[in-house]
Amino acid sequence: MAASSHFTLPFLLLQHLLLLSLFSASNVYIVYMGEKAQDEPAAATELHHATLSTVLGSKQAATSSILYSYKHGFSGFAAVLTESEAARVADLPGVAHVVPNRILDLHTTRSWDFLHLKSSPSDGLLEMSRSGDGSIIGVLDTGIWPESESFSDRYMGEIPSRWRGVCQKGEKFHVSDCNRKIIGARWYIKGYEAEFGKLNTSDILEFLSARDAVGHGTHTSSTAAGAFVGNASFMGIARGIARGGALRARLAIYKVCWASGGCSSADILAAFDDAIHDGVDVLSVSLGQSPPLPTYIEDVLAIGSFHAVARGITVVCSAGNSGPFSQTVINTAPWIITVAASTIDRTFVTLISLGNNITKAGQALYLGEHVDKFYGMVYAEDIASDKADSTDARGCGAGSLNATLARGKVVLCFQTRDQRSPLVASDTVRRAHGVAVIFAQFLTKDITFAFDFPCIQVDLEIGTSILTYLGSTRKPIVKFGTTKTVLGTVIAPEVAYFSSRGPSSLSPFVLKPDIAAPGVNILASWSPASPPRNMPPLNFKIESGTSMSCPHISAIAALLKSIHPNWSPAAIKSAIITTASTIDEYSLGVVAEGAPHKQANPFDFGGGHVDPNKAIDPGLVYDMRVSTYVHFLCSMGYNNSAVSSLTQHPTICHDIYESQKDLNLPSITIPELKKSFTVTRTVTNVGPVASTYTAHVEAPRGVSVCVRPSILSFNSTVKKLKFKVTFESRLKVQSGYLFGSLTWKDGVHHLVRIPLAIRIVIDEFNIYT
């Protein structure tokens, strides 16, 4: 889903989805049987039918019930069952667990230049990776618009011989729509239709194929791996050369989300299963489920990504759009790269000219006819409808304005505690026959789009000055200028207001999000089948959300994989995190948008803002094997049989506490520091063979940090070294989280930095000693 003030899917469709989720009981269940035990997919399918037939009474009934047989990366199936049948299946031998199907939500020209991902210098990531040639990025989303110029296969070489995927035909999508850029396309709807019935394409524009009717999947795919498109723009705004990060990488499309709203978990798991079989290198997944979070053995994104990572596939997911509130981050499994959204150094300015000859600057994406012409202006609270109180009207809540008094006027609205959306205010003023809205809000660079209706966003200071003008004259008037694109004069990056924040509500020892990347006002390709209201079809559109930041990291992961084909997903993740930047373009600390703005911390952006070129050569990496993740699942309290099912090897969980705190992540989070606490990490040298690193600590306030050993020396025989970090509290009172960092420096050019997040809790013994 896009930002809190945007809806990637049409707003009314999201309302429709919400109603469906409230009134429909799940009749689809996912039967998870763990790591694939058979070498032959046919044998797995036979096992699934035999398993279900013991409950349903016949193989024919089992065949009719099963929607998907998961048989490539893991074993299991999705089936239409009653609640009692699902309970009986859960008791069968070989079944790890049974979970109900869930419906998940969907969460450019300048951004790649802003990240300094260019063809020069010659030792940069883009040049060294040959723009990702040979890498395959799988995208789980709403499909793709194959005719977009971004997906031209001009200058592309032959499809990698290891590719085993297919180009699945369907409505208005043919095998010929795949090419040397879009090398595979599949679509999944059985789980969705089993919940909500057959999708009626006469009621809503959609294609029963991999063709994108929404635009979201086209946007994310082109951001990750789109080809060069010259003179691209959004109706003249943000003009430039559009391109993806991994220009020469291939795309494999897995359509799991639909225009009628939502993405079925049964369909998503089927897409993961096929992607593992097909041979993708990276999976980009811009969707998720809002808190409360399901356990990792019930979350299809966690399950599917676990098996993908076990086979060397890097999985990148969006962090969610519920910021700036804490503990809202989603997709928190430690094997996933979870991406926060940040701003870039571009904004879209619209001048506001008042009748007293004073001009103010606002932000807008408006190209309509109401420019350079004066209109009367009113304050929303002064024209409240009879049924609305002053607070509702102040924020221009739905139905809160008197249509007679609003007609033909520009309406000034103020963000309130209950009404924070410029989109809602625009719709309210439009319905009241106003001509435009000025929306005063907490300062943010995320801009609401309204093509045929001016929505000018200003901060509260400017909003208050406009309100003062309104009170100083009997006939206040205002006019707007045309939106202008402004580059390079905006402080960036900043963590976006809407970007979900940590700590993880499910596993607080795991720092999330992992990294921040551009996700605000990103221009990328769009489906012409999904134009905004009262607009002609679009080939490019500006969108905001962690959905947009996710494919930036997916592209960088694909580029790194091209250079370092033997690196594990954990190594790629570590390289991205430990080389990230915590300063902006002006060498000041990165700020996080909020109310008020503040210095960004690891719960806002993980290791920091991605620096692609530095990730090529991180010096050291914090690597992990799949067995480490299995021990982590033990530490979460899952039983032996559930954890054993992941690998089809007997697992007896022990040392629960140890395995969680010592998970070899490129970060250290301690949710409860009482007196003293020691964690262990291991680093692998991927730089010069003979290297020596020294530890440098920025200790969290009130905490002493000791690293042993403080010097690590590597040579031709010593490639991995372990170290311990001991934290001691100097405070005798409970604190919120305190932040710092540990950096290994080789004195040449490697700075391997990991964030520290420590929360001191009261220790009764400490208080009285």
Side-chain angles (χ1 to χ4, degrees), residues 282-302:
V282 177
L283 278 170
S284 188
V285 188
S286 290
L287 51 94
Q289 179 178 343
S290 299
L293 303 180
T295 65
Y296 293 134
I297 59 173
E298 297 174 317
D299 178 4
V300 293
L301 284 181

Side-chain angles (χ1 to χ4, degrees), residues 55 113 134 146 156 256 271 321 323 348 403 430 598-599 622 749 765:
V55 170
D113 286 344
M156 299 289 291
V256 295
N321 301 316
F348 306 101
R430 184 200 301 266
K598 65 178 181 65
Q599 199 74 26
Y622 294 76
H749 67 274
F765 177 79

Side-chain angles (χ1 to χ4, degrees), residues 475-704:
K475 293 185 178 180
I477 55 175
V478 64
K479 70 175 180 179
F480 309 121
T482 303
T483 295
K484 303 291 185 184
T485 304
V486 178
L487 293 176
T489 59
V490 182
I491 294 176
E494 295 181 352
V495 179
Y497 183 91
F498 59 78
S499 187
S500 289
R501 311 299 213 259
S504 167
S505 59
L506 182 59
S507 49
F509 272 100
V510 178
L511 180 67
K512 291 288 178 173
D514 293 301
I515 195 72
V520 177
N521 302 331
I522 303 300
L523 180 80
S525 288
W526 195 252
S527 167
S530 180
R533 181 168 50 187
N534 298 328
M535 278 196 67
L538 294 173
N539 293 319
F540 285 86
K541 191 168 183 282
I542 292 172
E543 285 285 292
S544 295
T546 54
S547 283
M548 284 66 243
S549 56
C550 173
H552 280 84
I553 298 299
S554 302
I556 293 166
L559 297 175
L560 290 172
K561 187 71 172 179
S562 294
I563 299 173
H564 304 290
N566 296 323
W567 277 10
S568 69
I572 290 174
K573 175 178 176 178
S574 175
I576 290 172
I577 292 173
T578 61
T579 58
S581 174
T582 59
I583 59 174
D584 62 27
E585 292 288 281
Y586 295 88
S587 298
L588 302 174
V590 171
V591 168
E593 290 185 343
H597 284 24
K598 65 178 181 65
Q599 199 74 26
N601 65 50
F603 290 149
D604 300 314
F605 62 7
H609 193 261
V610 66
D611 190 332
N613 293 315
K614 287 186 178 179
I616 303 170
D617 181 20
L620 306 174
V621 295
Y622 294 76
D623 206 355
M624 271 188 284
R625 296 182 177 180
V626 176
S627 58
T628 309
Y629 297 128
V630 173
H631 295 153
F632 165 77
L633 292 171
C634 285
S635 76
M636 293 294 294
Y638 307 142
N639 62 45
N640 291 340
S641 60
V643 176
S644 297
S645 69
L646 288 169
T647 58
Q648 288 293 308
H649 296 297
T651 299
I652 299 176
C653 293
H654 55 82
D655 295 333
I656 288 176
Y657 193 58
E658 293 297 316
S659 25
Q660 189 158 143
K661 75 182 181 69
D662 292 332
L663 188 65
N664 202 41
L665 294 167
S667 61
I668 297 174
T669 306
I670 302 175
E672 293 186 1
L673 174 62
K674 293 184 178 180
K675 187 175 181 181
S676 180
F677 197 87
T678 299
V679 302
T680 301
R681 293 290 187 271
T682 300
V683 287
T684 302
N685 182 26
V686 294
V689 173
S691 300
T692 299
Y693 287 82
T694 304
H696 295 261
V697 175
E698 290 185 13
R701 180 168 47 90
V703 178
S704 66

